[in-house]
């Protein structure tokens, strides 16, 4: 056999072997291997994508916090929050200031407390003179509010339906709780037998029909250089007392013993302006400074 024949025979054998290898099952070409790797990478979970649920301690599946945080977009803050939240807590300003004239005892509000009684004569912390008015009461210190309750008329109601109207002339100190009124013995007897001692009550501010006119009294020791002024017999609680000062009015500070004080004598003996909790204003012409003398006027607040 020639060398040429041997070379051709070997080449033929190599070609047959190569074809057999290509046709074997399960064999992949280099291109197919590259495509497969790319496909597998596409199906792997992303690091920032959803994480599969993991079993909780109770044995039920719960979302992973990471999954929740990364898979849920934060919702935009409503534009109404910034505008509406402050408005909901803001206290509206009163244009006239009338509503702020009342203290703790306000018109149209029902209060709850206890009624007790004592031997009252109409005098007390409000510095009114003892009188024949037996239907009076001493207001607890909180609702007395540094004499703002002085002269107020309140209607007191017992659970049995009995009612009595009293004028506040005194303060019931520490032993009286908020809402409690220590009534005169005569007023208490209109609600319950004295043997009851104390009873639950409700009460509310009233503006009575039968009253005379307001009186003014200068405190003992008052002069043109210092004075204390008291209003007596006002139908509605008194919110302000002002004295004429030049071309305007000057508001005086109210003491807890129910006198309005002019420490420097400003306005003593001059015209006065009285304002009740409803905002009504009454002007009283000048009165002489006569210490501890009750001087009548011709004015009275309207009924409400």
């Amino acid at each position: 056999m020639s060398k040429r024949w041997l070379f051709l025979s070997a080449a033929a054998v190599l070609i047959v072997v190569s074809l057999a290898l290509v046709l074997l099952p399960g064999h992949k070409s280099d291109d197919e291997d590259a495509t497969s790797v790319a496909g597998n990478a596409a199906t792997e979970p992303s690091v920032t994508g959803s994480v599969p649920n993991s079993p909780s301690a109770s044995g039920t599946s719960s979302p992973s916090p990471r999954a929740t945080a990364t898979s849920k977009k934060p919702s935009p803050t409503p534009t109404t929050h910034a505008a509406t939240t402050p408005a909901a807590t803001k206290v509206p300003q009163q244009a006239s200031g009338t509503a702020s004239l009342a203290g703790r005892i306000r018109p149209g509000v029902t209060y709850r407390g206890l009624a007790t009684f004592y031997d009252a004569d109409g005098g007390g912390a409000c510095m009114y003179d003892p009188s024949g008015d037996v239907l009076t009461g001493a207001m607890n210190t909180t609702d007395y509010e540094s004499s703002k309750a002085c002269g107020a008329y309140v209607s007191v109601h017992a659970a049995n339906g009995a009612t009595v109207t009293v004028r506040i002339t005194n303060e019931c100190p520490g032993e009286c709780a908020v809402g409690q009124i220590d009534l005169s013995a005569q007023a208490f007897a209109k609600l319950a037998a004295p043997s009851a001692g104390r009873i639950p009550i409700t009460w509310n501010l009233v503006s009575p029909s039968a009253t005379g006119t307001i009186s003014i009294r200068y405190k003992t020791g008052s002069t043109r250089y210092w004075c204390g002024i008291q209003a007596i017999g006002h139908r509605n609680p008194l919110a302000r007392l002002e004295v004429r000062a030049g071309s305007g009015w000057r508001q005086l500070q109210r003491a807890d013993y129910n006198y309005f004080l002019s420490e420097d004598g400003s306005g003593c003996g001059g015209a006065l302006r009285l304002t009740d909790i409803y905002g009504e204003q009454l002007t009283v012409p000048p009165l002489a400074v006569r210490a501890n003398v009750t001087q009548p006027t011709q004015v009275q607040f309207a009924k409400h």
Side-chain angles (χ1 to χ4, degrees), residues 34-56:
T35 302
S36 177
V37 171
N40 288 339
T43 58
E44 288 294 326
S46 168
V47 173
T48 58
S50 297
V51 178
N53 291 344
S54 58
S56 66

Side-chain angles (χ1 to χ4, degrees), residues 94-280:
Q94 299 293 335
S96 64
T98 300
S100 64
L101 292 175
R104 287 181 56 86
I105 304 175
R106 296 175 173 269
V109 178
T110 297
Y111 301 85
R112 295 183 181 276
L114 293 173
T116 48
F117 66 92
Y118 74 112
D119 292 327
D121 61 4
C126 293
M127 300 292 287
Y128 299 138
D129 289 336
S131 68
D133 181 8
V134 296
L135 300 182
T136 60
M139 186 63 73
N140 67 85
T141 296
T142 300
D143 293 320
Y144 179 79
E145 199 177 2
S146 298
S147 80
K148 285 185 179 180
C150 287
Y153 288 86
V154 296
S155 181
V156 184
H157 315 275
N160 60 10
T163 299
V164 63
T165 296
V166 299
R167 182 170 62 102
I168 302 303
T169 61
N170 202 357
E171 175 188 9
C172 182
E175 66 267 19
C176 280
V178 176
Q180 183 173 346
I181 304 178
D182 203 17
L183 299 172
S184 65
Q186 295 88 339
F188 187 92
K190 290 184 177 293
L191 301 177
S195 58
R198 62 176 57 208
I199 59 171
I201 58 169
T202 60
W203 54 272
N204 57 277
L205 183 69
V206 293
S207 180
S209 299
T211 56
T213 57
I214 297 172
S215 297
I216 298 296
R217 178 164 58 189
Y218 280 94
K219 191 178 185 306
T220 301
S222 293
T223 67
R224 294 179 55 189
Y225 307 102
W226 178 95
C227 65
I229 308 171
Q230 182 184 64
I232 305 169
H234 39 86
R235 173 182 276 124
N236 306 317
L238 188 63
R240 293 175 182 164
L241 189 150
E242 299 166 284
V243 294
R244 193 71 171 173
S247 59
W249 295 95
R250 175 187 173 189
Q251 182 177 344
L252 299 185
Q253 186 70 30
R254 190 176 198 165
D256 59 4
Y257 50 86
N258 196 33
Y259 272 89
F260 293 82
L261 306 181
S262 177
E263 300 284 358
D264 60 1
S266 176
C268 295
L272 308 176
R273 187 166 71 176
L274 312 178
T275 305
D276 70 3
I277 63 171
Y278 298 97
E280 182 181 0

Side-chain angles (χ1 to χ4, degrees), residues 53-86:
N53 291 344
S54 58
S56 66
S58 62
T60 58
S61 296
S62 59
S64 161
R66 180 188 177 102
T68 302
T70 57
S71 62
K72 183 178 179 180
K73 295 182 179 179
S75 58
T77 302
T79 56
T80 55
H81 270 212
T84 59
T85 300

